Amino acid sequence: MELARQITLCENTLFCAVDPFEPMYPVETDVPDSFCPQYIRKMTKMSTQLTSWISQCILRETNLKQRTLVLRFFILFAEASYKLQNFNLLMEILGALGSSNLHRLKKTWKGLPPRKIAKFEFLSQLMDPARNFNAYRTCLQNAQGPTVPFLGLILTDITFAKEGNPVQRVFPGFDFPLVNLARFYQLKQILRGFQKFQKPYSISPVPEIQTFIRGIYDDGRHRTPSEYFAENEQFYYRSLELEPRMAAPMNVPASPRSPGPRMFARTLTALRNSSETLSLSVNNRSDSRSR
């Protein structure tokens, strides 16, 4: 699917441009440019906007048959992302399809062929957060060739490495704290894994599709998190209009297999915690300069 290839080209270009130490800092706007992780900010903005676009495409279809066809298209889209080893794009698609706004559309899901439902469940199991994303981490470890890893998990790993390991700690036999080398070793391993996948794809840009992709992302360039939150509520009401609540459940993929809502909650937590860390480091540097 050429659309998946072209979006992969966009995300891979940004991912390869990320400085090795940029993931250490948060997606923060009110800091000097030297601290600002601009490429990670762009990638997270792209992810949010693409997830919103997928929901819009499905929920704007009033005809049930047409809505099922659009849903089928995005499952094929997810499958193409998996084959391209773009796990970041795969997670964006699964995050949208696994949201409560779309997953509750039982009639829409029921119209899918069993093979497509099985494919969706397979991809959801691959990106399942269970056991610290064990299935995904194993797949990523065995990946060969150009790959775009899931950025949200990298940021989460960095946050846990920072918060779970103090900069200094008291060791047995010492009355004063020493530098905690374990903290820096963990961060080094995460960043080394990050750099491992900074390899370009051999994909030629298609101008027409690139223009279409820029149009999707430009629509959300200046949108705030509160606006996305309000839009998500509108999506839910739209979902209720299309398919009101029913007493009898139908055969759709089991929601516990969908990693979408849980995954993006963890990603937002990682970004928020990283923001607090960067704000502290900026303030400390400002204080030292004033002295």
Side-chain angles (χ1 to χ4, degrees), residues 92-111:
E92 293 162 1
I93 301 169
L94 293 178
L97 300 185
S99 67
S100 59
N101 305 324
L102 299 183
H103 194 272
R104 63 167 303 279
L105 299 176
K106 297 178 174 59
K107 294 180 180 179
T108 305
W109 285 91
K110 189 178 181 182

Side-chain angles (χ1 to χ4, degrees), residues 243-255:
E243 296 186 26
R245 291 188 178 93
M246 298 179 61
M250 294 184 178
N251 183 26
V252 297
S255 57

Side-chain angles (χ1 to χ4, degrees), residues 17-278:
V18 174
D19 183 89
F21 290 98
E22 188 174 325
M24 298 290 292
Y25 299 104
V27 182
E28 179 66 54
T29 55
D30 299 328
V31 295
D33 291 339
S34 58
F35 286 90
C36 190
Q38 56 175 328
Y39 295 110
I40 286 185
R41 182 200 301 158
K42 289 180 180 179
M43 287 190 69
T44 54
K45 190 70 173 180
M46 288 173 64
S47 297
T48 305
Q49 183 59 22
L50 184 63
T51 302
S52 173
W53 173 72
I54 293 172
S55 297
Q56 290 177 24
C57 289
I58 297 176
L59 292 174
R60 71 186 177 193
E61 297 294 342
T62 56
N63 181 272
L64 176 60
K65 184 176 181 180
Q66 187 64 28
R67 193 163 60 248
T68 300
L69 289 176
V70 177
L71 176 60
R72 179 180 179 274
F73 167 81
F74 282 115
I75 292 178
L76 292 173
F77 191 19
E79 184 178 2
S81 304
Y82 168 69
K83 291 180 179 179
L84 287 166
Q85 297 187 150
N86 186 348
F87 298 104
N88 195 64
L89 177 57
L90 174 60
M91 195 64 231
E92 293 162 1
I93 301 169
L94 293 178
L97 300 185
S99 67
S100 59
N101 305 324
L102 299 183
H103 194 272
R104 63 167 303 279
L105 299 176
K106 297 178 174 59
K107 294 180 180 179
T108 305
W109 285 91
K110 189 178 181 182
L112 289 173
R115 288 183 301 175
K116 296 307 173 188
I117 293 181
K119 177 59 67 174
F120 173 77
E121 290 182 333
F122 165 76
L123 295 174
S124 296
Q125 290 173 17
L126 175 66
M127 303 303 293
D128 195 330
R131 294 190 298 165
N132 195 21
F133 289 89
N134 180 68
Y136 163 67
R137 291 182 190 273
T138 301
C139 181
L140 187 64
Q141 187 176 6
N142 297 327
Q144 301 291 331
T147 303
V148 180
F150 176 44
L151 180 62
L153 186 57
I154 295 175
L155 299 179
T156 300
D157 287 344
I158 290 175
T159 298
F160 278 109
K162 285 181 175 180
E163 295 189 350
N165 297 278
V167 177
Q168 293 182 326
R169 55 173 294 192
V170 177
F171 291 88
F174 294 89
D175 297 330
F176 51 88
L178 300 175
V179 174
N180 185 8
L181 296 180
R183 168 192 172 98
F184 298 100
Y185 177 78
Q186 288 188 22
L187 292 173
K188 183 196 75 171
Q189 292 297 100
I190 296 172
L191 295 179
R192 177 177 292 178
F194 184 92
Q195 289 179 286
K196 171 186 174 183
F197 296 108
Q198 288 186 304
K199 299 177 181 178
Y201 282 76
S202 298
I203 299 176
S204 300
V206 178
E208 295 81 3
I209 300 180
Q210 288 294 322
T211 300
F212 174 75
I213 295 171
R214 282 195 298 271
I216 295 174
Y217 296 137
D218 287 345
D219 288 342
R221 185 180 298 274
H222 302 294
R223 300 181 66 182
T224 63
S226 59
E227 290 175 332
Y228 280 112
F229 181 80
E231 180 187 60
N232 189 61
E233 288 189 331
Q234 294 175 0
F235 285 161
Y236 186 72
Y237 290 129
R238 173 61 176 168
S239 176
L240 289 175
E241 290 178 2
L242 293 173
E243 296 186 26
R245 291 188 178 93
M246 298 179 61
M250 294 184 178
N251 183 26
V252 297
S255 57
R257 289 297 185 185
S258 172
R262 287 179 292 169
M263 167 52 47
F264 282 96
R266 292 183 62 175
T267 302
L268 291 175
T269 300
L271 295 177
R272 183 171 60 251
N273 293 338
S274 298
S275 298
E276 295 172 355
T277 302
L278 179 58

